[in-house]
Amino acid sequence: MFEVLVYVYENYWRGDACPEPEQLGRKLSAQGFDADEIREALHWLDGLSLATRGVQLERHADGSSATVLPGIAADAALPQSADAMRVYSSAEQEHIGAECLGFISFLESASVLPGGMREIVVERAMATPGEPLALDELKIIVLMVHWSTGVEPDALVLDELCDASSDRIAH
């Protein structure tokens, strides 16, 4: 499934540029992807589309950002306080794994993943098969959430999400 998601990310710059599921399925099939992988990826993308429909990222003057969810006025939503902490359920801890939860925490502390987007990442991570989730798979999920919301991550963050850390040489 993740190979299909990478293909979609690389070939359709934004989520709104992606063709309808039926047409996308035919294109993926023509590229040689397995029918089960295509079906699984299209189902996952449909869930992503539902989760991110109407989501906007709002930047504040102090450099912080907040996720504005559909149906909630920007001024009505309470911002997450700086000392707030997300507590993960046992099922989330088991499925996502400690390494991936640590990476999510890193992205939050770097102000790359506001609370609302974090929740979409966690929800989409829970919608994947297998456990625990591999870090490379989580990075694809984070990229796809940014892709679907139309929020372009910072160049350094994009490098962190796209680069395989095992290929890096320490200086």
Side-chain angles (χ1 to χ4, degrees), residues 20 45-56 67-71 120 145 148-149:
E20 292 298 316
L45 284 169
D46 186 46
L48 176 63
S49 176
L50 289 173
T52 59
R53 184 169 288 137
V55 172
Q56 299 171 341
T67 308
V68 179
L69 300 172
I120 295 170
V145 169
S148 184
T149 57

Side-chain angles (χ1 to χ4, degrees), residues 4-48:
V4 174
L5 295 178
V6 169
Y7 177 85
V8 169
Y9 180 82
E10 289 176 345
N11 287 281
Y12 302 100
W13 180 241
R14 290 178 46 125
D16 54 6
C18 194
E20 292 298 316
E22 298 81 25
Q23 184 181 4
L24 179 59
R26 287 190 300 272
K27 288 184 177 200
L28 293 169
S29 183
Q31 290 298 318
F33 289 106
D34 180 61
D36 289 336
E37 282 185 319
I38 293 170
R39 190 172 24 267
E40 201 172 275
L42 290 177
H43 180 73
W44 191 91
L45 284 169
D46 186 46
L48 176 63

Side-chain angles (χ1 to χ4, degrees), residues 44 96 104 113 116-126 138 141-142 145-146:
W44 191 91
I96 299 173
I104 290 172
L113 199 61
M117 285 181 76
R118 176 202 58 223
E119 292 307 311
I120 295 170
V121 167
V122 169
E123 187 272 329
R124 292 288 77 210
M126 293 299 290
L138 177 72
I141 292 169
V142 173
V145 169
H146 277 87

Side-chain angles (χ1 to χ4, degrees), residues 16 23 29 33 55 59 81 88-89 127 131 140 156 159 171:
D16 54 6
Q23 184 181 4
S29 183
F33 289 106
V55 172
R59 297 266 180 214
S81 70
Y88 294 94
S89 70
E131 52 183 66
I140 293 168
L156 291 174
D159 183 53
H171 296 286

Side-chain angles (χ1 to χ4, degrees), residues 41-110:
L42 290 177
H43 180 73
W44 191 91
L45 284 169
D46 186 46
L48 176 63
S49 176
L50 289 173
T52 59
R53 184 169 288 137
V55 172
Q56 299 171 341
L57 188 65
E58 188 177 82
R59 297 266 180 214
H60 300 286
D62 64 0
S64 65
S65 59
T67 308
V68 179
L69 300 172
I72 300 174
D75 56 349
L78 296 174
Q80 181 174 313
S81 70
D83 57 351
M85 181 176 79
R86 168 62 153 90
V87 178
Y88 294 94
S89 70
S90 297
E92 290 170 335
Q93 290 176 34
E94 288 176 24
H95 187 78
I96 299 173
E99 183 180 27
C100 291
L101 290 174
F103 188 72
I104 290 172
S105 179
F106 160 72
L107 293 176
E108 282 185 279
S109 67

